Amino acid sequence: TQLLEQSPQFLSIQEGENLTVYCNSSSVFSSLQWYRQEPGEGPVLLVTVVTGGEVKKLKRLTFQFGDARKDSSLHITAAQPGDTGLYLCAGAPGSGGSNYKLTFGKGTLLTVNP
Amino acid sequence: DSGVTQTPKHLITATGQRVTLRCSPRSGDLSVYWYQQSLDQGLQFLIQYYNGEERAKGNILERFSAQQFPDLHSELNLSSLELGDSALYFCASSVAPAGGDTKTQYFGPGTRLLVL
């Protein structure tokens, strides 16, 4: 069974601070996705990383896939209250096909205080 | 708005009862996935259907079943409900028409189930 461990579980910071959230596994994934979920809503895909060592930027968010494709990190610069939410990482096994099971971490609940 | 719709949004029922959750995927998506989200277990994959056929099973209890209909909407049936079944149930869809990103899953807003 593939497991994804996210840390920290909870994070409360002040507006303007930087933060990093980690997603680790002993398994190799073909790709890894990051989602953000707000209360009462479903997860929304932020980014997919596919290549080991890949770095993707989405405005103030920087996502990195580990060289061995077992871990990933999400770095937020100058956090804003609008960044508040549950951040989930999800790993995908294999590639292609119609069978595409995602394994999710339990998430990091981020609160950015104004 | 992801384009995935789920009904009902909230459901309150009693132990031992049976409920049906409904999901309509994004237009053109052939795959539907069901997930259960609870505070202690996080988001757990239950089952996947592709174009009407079951394709993958996760941590789905025998009391739970699902199906995907010819119009591609899906239903998740939960029976003999227990207190521990209280959770958020999400449906997601993927597999866009040719040329799209077939791996991205788009999640619906979820159904919050409370078993009393």
Side-chain angles (χ1 to χ4, degrees), chain A residues 10-32:
Chain A
F10 301 96
L11 190 54
S12 180
I13 62 171
Q14 293 299 123
E15 182 176 1
E17 292 183 4
N18 301 332
L19 66 114
T20 302
V21 172
Y22 300 93
C23 176
N24 295 296
S25 175
S26 58
S27 303
V28 175
F29 293 97
S30 64
S31 66
L32 199 136

Side-chain angles (χ1 to χ4, degrees), chain A residues 37 42 45 98 100-101 106, chain B residues 37 40 45 48 55 103:
Chain A
Q37 184 179 12
L45 180 66
S98 56
Y100 194 67
K101 279 195 314 186
K106 291 188 177 182
Chain B
Q37 187 176 40
D40 56 340
F45 168 74
Q48 177 203 3
R55 281 306 175 100
K103 293 187 178 180

Side-chain angles (χ1 to χ4, degrees), chain A residues 29-80:
Chain A
F29 293 97
S30 64
S31 66
L32 199 136
Q33 300 180 336
W34 284 93
Y35 291 79
R36 185 172 77 196
Q37 184 179 12
E38 298 187 23
E41 303 292 332
V44 175
L45 180 66
L46 296 174
V47 76
T48 300
V49 285
V50 179
T51 306
E54 181 177 3
V55 176
K56 278 192 175 179
K57 291 194 175 185
L58 185 65
K59 295 183 181 177
R60 293 176 294 99
L61 279 60
T62 301
F63 304 86
Q64 183 163 7
F65 202 10
D67 291 340
R69 305 208 315 275
K70 292 182 179 181
D71 54 83
S72 181
S73 64
L74 157 59
H75 182 80
I76 301 179
T77 303
Q80 298 177 1

Side-chain angles (χ1 to χ4, degrees), chain A residues 30-31 33 35 37 40-43 45 48 86 88 94-102 104-106, chain B residues 9 31 33 35 37 40-43 45 48 50 55-58 88 90 103-105 107-109 112:
Chain A
S30 64
S31 66
Q33 300 180 336
Y35 291 79
Q37 184 179 12
E41 303 292 332
L45 180 66
T48 300
L86 179 67
L88 297 161
S95 61
S98 56
N99 178 348
Y100 194 67
K101 279 195 314 186
L102 289 177
F104 280 84
K106 291 188 177 182
Chain B
K9 193 163 179 64
S31 263
Y33 309 77
Y35 292 87
Q37 187 176 40
D40 56 340
Q41 295 293 323
L43 199 60
F45 168 74
Q48 177 203 3
Y50 177 77
R55 281 306 175 100
K57 257 186 175 180
L88 273 167
F90 288 103
K103 293 187 178 180
T104 299
Q105 292 188 23
F107 283 78
R112 183 176 293 277

Side-chain angles (χ1 to χ4, degrees), chain B residues 10-43:
Chain B
H10 302 278
L11 196 49
I12 302 174
T13 188
T15 54
Q17 295 299 304
R18 172 189 168 95
V19 297
T20 297
L21 312 183
R22 183 188 168 101
C23 167
S24 292
R26 293 188 326 149
S27 178
D29 282 1
L30 300 178
S31 263
V32 169
Y33 309 77
W34 286 98
Y35 292 87
Q36 179 192 60
Q37 187 176 40
S38 60
L39 285 174
D40 56 340
Q41 295 293 323
L43 199 60

